Amino acid sequence: MANPDEKPDLAQNPGSINPSYENDDGEEDLEEEEDDDLDEESEPAPPREKMAKLLSRMKSDAVPLRVHDVIVKGNTKTKEYLIEEELEAIKNATSMQEIIQAASVVNYKLQELECFDSVNITLDAGPPELPGTANVIIEVVETKSPLSGQIGTFTKGEKIVGKEKENWEKSGGNCIKFGESLTWFLNILDVFLVDRHDAKSSSVEGSLKYKNFLGYGDLWDASLAYGFDRSAEVSAGVYLPRFKGLVSPLTVRVSLLSQDWLKFSSYKEQSFGLSLGLFSSKHHELGYNLAWRTLTDPSQMSSRSIRRQLGHDFLSSLKYTFRFDKRNSHLRPTRGYAFVSTTQIGGLAPDNRTLRFLRQELDLRFAVPFGFYRTALNFGVSSGVLCPLGRGFLSMSSSIPERFFLGGNISPVCHLGGPSALWGFKTRGLGPAEPRRQMSGSSSDENADPSERDFLGGDLAVSAFADLSFDLPLRWFREKGIHGHLFACAGSVAKLTENEYRNFSLPKFLESFRSSLGGGIVFPTNLFRLEVNYCYILKKFDHDHGKSGIQISLSAAS
């Protein structure tokens, strides 16, 4: 949903705001300056000339006018207070220019509620005994088709994170055709270029929406996503833009999620949860998550650290995000800066199986323009730390699903919110690892294959990147937004819990950094950023899953 704080241009909806201002005789009540050379028997100026004079005066000087009344028509189902909440700017206007500007903003906000097929705002003369006043008439046409559905297929070089699903839902019926063409394109590249061992993930996703069921501008939706990597999610929720005087939107969502991490960490995760969006504004967001989570190992091959965490746990956490983004683009920033801080506190329940932890993430980005060929340098640093809460917390073990994992062909330029992306390394492809158990039912790990390891993640993660983007010489590429880039990145994760902090030192941690560099071509779309890159691994360790070569990256802005 677009930001309501942004004021649209008046020219966006020229037909939806009609500043006709008539008196009781049906003639326009406009003050005209009379010329001394005109005699009394001259004919009055035609309406078109009067309107031209009014517009000329509006450009040079304010036309005093105040609103006497606001009349709402056409809302048979939608609660009237939902519309009136957006009308304060019109009611407080003191001139014709302010009324028109406020009416344009109101039109924009009402359209964003997705309850109306059209919104028309008209200015009419106020009561004759109150000169210099106007009535504002708002006519809405409620949507005739409140039920809508979407379905699409996607193939991704790595699992796409961020707002891709939200952007896909907004894109309408083009999803099916686009998804099919993208699948074909990536399958061709997969045959010739992409390492078959990479974590390619295809999924089928569908959703149903019902708008304004209760008349509060509420949006109900149910969605189903199935990944061919055996991940699945079923969820349903409701979004209330304004409810009983709340100052921010309210969201409630119930979900059933199953994720398969057998390939990387020898466990499957199933979660049934409830999430509440308590507060949301331009820079602040507060949410609460409640989930019952189960970790299992169907393969019976997990390492000792994974086996100790199998079973049930209870997640009750409060999450606060502060976001400040002044970049001119999320997919190709060329100037500006951004900062995101995310704090999550777990353990807000008396149950002894509740996970108690503090998780903090920081992300800082800068984009510096060079002034030629749209060349710009993007660079940033991300960090995160996870700490269990309780007596003797440093000797305790942190929960594996809450730990930090680096890797995955996701562009750090788009991903904003914490350390995760690292070009050239596969999903969960680096960091602390343990050998898997080779034989099912064995009580020891003596016969374990050292090449088969479970990646355990870390309690501390730091990553950094630099990306130099530039226009390509061909004009067709520039018109389509296709551009080139050169990049370098580095990062590492470390374990601090279970008394591992005693072995931690800053020089040792810096020596553990993995790094890569490369270059490629970027194909930006409305949904995500597609990169075809050549990555060269500068530094990796024996058990890391990273490989030099041509790789594909799909990233959505987050």
Side-chain angles (χ1 to χ4, degrees):
M1 182 170 292
N3 187 357
D5 295 333
E6 296 178 1
K7 294 186 178 180
D9 192 348
L10 291 176
Q12 288 181 349
N13 296 300
S16 61
I17 301 174
N18 180 17
S20 62
Y21 183 52
E22 300 179 352
N23 59 21
D24 293 339
D25 298 330
E27 298 179 355
E28 296 180 351
D29 187 14
L30 308 177
E31 296 183 3
E32 301 179 20
E33 295 184 0
E34 297 183 358
D35 199 318
D36 294 337
D37 297 333
L38 295 177
D39 62 349
E40 298 178 356
E41 297 181 357
S42 61
E43 296 183 359
R48 182 175 298 180
E49 184 178 342
K50 293 181 180 180
M51 180 59 69
K53 290 183 178 180
L54 172 64
L55 295 177
S56 177
R57 180 180 174 185
M58 290 176 62
K59 292 180 180 179
S60 60
D61 193 12
V63 180
L65 191 66
R66 62 185 180 86
V67 175
H68 171 259
D69 193 13
V70 179
I71 304 170
V72 180
K73 299 180 180 180
N75 57 319
T76 58
K77 187 176 183 180
T78 307
K79 307 297 182 183
E80 190 164 335
Y81 87 89
L82 185 69
I83 301 175
E84 292 179 348
E85 287 286 344
E86 309 293 348
L87 304 181
E88 288 299 321
I90 289 182
K91 294 178 180 179
N92 297 330
T94 59
S95 66
M96 174 74 79
Q97 291 90 334
E98 290 183 8
I99 293 177
I100 294 177
Q101 179 67 35
S104 179
V105 175
V106 169
N107 187 304
Y108 177 77
K109 290 183 177 181
L110 293 180
Q111 294 280 8
E112 284 298 301
L113 293 177
E114 300 185 21
C115 303
F116 311 114
D117 288 335
S118 66
V119 179
N120 187 38
I121 302 178
T122 305
L123 304 184
D124 199 0
E129 65 272 13
L130 296 176
T133 63
N135 292 330
V136 179
I137 303 173
I138 301 177
E139 296 182 86
V140 297
V141 178
E142 294 181 331
T143 180
K144 297 179 180 179
S145 302
L147 183 64
S148 61
Q150 298 164 339
I151 187 170
T153 61
F154 296 91
T155 298
K156 311 154 191 173
E158 291 286 343
K159 184 176 180 63
I160 295 180
V161 298
K163 296 185 177 179
E164 178 226 354
K165 184 175 181 180
E166 177 183 342
N167 294 334
W168 167 68
E169 290 176 348
K170 291 181 179 179
S171 63
N174 294 330
C175 296
I176 298 177
K177 183 181 295 185
F178 182 81
E180 292 174 350
S181 62
L182 181 61
T183 301
W184 175 84
F185 174 69
L186 291 181
N187 284 340
I188 295 296
L189 289 177
D190 179 58
V191 172
F192 295 101
L193 302 176
V194 182
D195 182 8
R196 307 293 290 189
H197 185 63
D198 199 1
K200 185 184 69 174
S201 173
S202 301
S203 65
V204 177
E205 303 177 13
S207 68
L208 284 175
K209 292 182 179 181
Y210 196 92
K211 303 174 184 177
N212 207 24
F213 177 67
L214 301 177
Y216 294 102
D218 45 299
L219 177 62
W220 299 78
D221 76 285
S223 63
L224 171 65
Y226 177 77
F228 296 108
D229 57 354
R230 291 174 291 182
S231 64
E233 180 180 8
V234 180
S235 64
V238 59
Y239 170 81
L240 296 168
R242 288 185 180 273
F243 184 71
K244 298 298 183 181
L246 294 179
V247 296
S248 67
L250 176 67
T251 58
V252 181
R253 191 160 201 86
V254 178
S255 62
L256 178 62
L257 174 66
S258 176
Q259 289 183 307
D260 188 342
W261 300 113
L262 291 173
K263 182 177 181 180
F264 309 107
S265 303
S266 294
Y267 73 87
K268 293 185 67 174
E269 176 184 348
Q270 292 182 335
S271 175
F272 178 71
L274 170 70
S275 61
L276 301 176
L278 302 176
F279 179 81
S280 179
S281 66
K282 185 176 181 180
H283 299 300
H284 306 275
E285 185 174 343
L286 181 65
Y288 174 74
N289 295 303
L290 182 68
W292 178 259
R293 195 163 55 191
T294 304
L295 304 184
T296 59
D297 174 24
S299 68
Q300 300 295 315
M301 302 286 288
S302 59
S303 61
R304 186 171 300 170
S305 294
I306 297 293
R307 292 198 300 269
R308 285 201 296 262
Q309 299 218 10
L310 298 179
H312 305 285
D313 58 46
F314 187 55
L315 176 65
S316 175
S317 66
L318 198 64
K319 187 176 182 180
Y320 168 71
T321 301
F322 173 76
R323 180 184 296 265
F324 191 85
D325 194 344
K326 287 295 184 179
R327 298 176 299 172
N328 60 342
S329 171
H330 297 294
L331 295 178
R332 187 189 177 184
T334 56
R335 65 172 58 88
Y337 54 93
F339 173 75
V340 175
S341 171
T342 303
T343 304
Q344 186 177 7
I345 301 177
L348 306 179
D351 196 298
N352 58 2
R353 288 170 294 183
T354 303
L355 297 175
R356 306 184 187 280
F357 64 89
L358 174 63
R359 195 175 194 263
Q360 177 65 53
E361 300 173 62
L362 298 173
D363 209 333
L364 183 62
R365 302 294 175 84
F366 292 94
V368 180
F370 285 177
F372 56 92
Y373 290 103
R374 293 192 65 196
T375 304
L377 175 65
N378 280 270
F379 60 94
V381 178
S382 303
S383 63
V385 62
L386 173 66
C387 180
L389 296 179
R391 181 178 299 177
F393 63 94
L394 290 175
S395 61
M396 299 168 59
S397 175
S398 57
S399 175
I400 285 184
E402 307 302 330
R403 293 179 186 174
F404 297 97
F405 292 87
L406 291 182
N409 289 334
I410 302 170
S411 173
V413 177
C414 293
H415 179 73
L416 183 64
S420 64
L422 208 62
W423 275 298
F425 291 88
K426 294 179 174 59
T427 301
R428 299 195 175 203
L430 59 94
E434 275 189 13
R436 295 177 179 175
R437 182 167 53 181
Q438 186 177 20
M439 299 181 62
S440 177
S442 174
S443 59
S444 66
D445 296 330
E446 296 177 356
N447 297 323
D449 184 355
S451 63
E452 294 293 331
R453 288 177 169 257
D454 287 336
F455 288 91
L456 307 178
D459 307 304
L460 173 66
V462 178
S463 64
F465 81 95
D467 180 274
L468 182 68
S469 62
F470 49 87
D471 279 344
L472 297 174
L474 296 181
R475 180 180 177 183
W476 185 85
F477 285 160
R478 295 195 299 270
E479 292 176 350
K480 300 298 181 181
I482 301 172
H483 60 279
H485 73 137
L486 301 173
F487 58 83
C489 62
S492 185
V493 294
K495 189 176 180 181
L496 299 178
T497 54
E498 298 181 279
N499 295 320
E500 288 293 330
Y501 70 95
R502 298 172 180 173
N503 302 322
F504 178 84
S505 66
L506 183 59
K508 185 178 179 180
F509 181 63
L510 294 177
E511 290 178 1
S512 69
F513 268 60
R514 286 77 163 173
S515 57
S516 65
L517 55 80
I521 300 177
V522 181
F523 302 85
T525 71
N526 292 331
L527 297 177
F528 50 79
R529 167 186 170 118
L530 170 64
E531 300 178 7
V532 180
N533 297 325
Y534 179 83
C535 296
Y536 179 77
I537 304 297
L538 292 177
K539 183 179 180 181
K540 71 173 185 175
F541 292 87
D542 293 338
H543 303 293
D544 292 342
H545 288 178
K547 185 178 180 181
S548 300
I550 296 179
Q551 298 174 348
I552 298 174
S553 168
L554 282 88
S555 309
S558 59

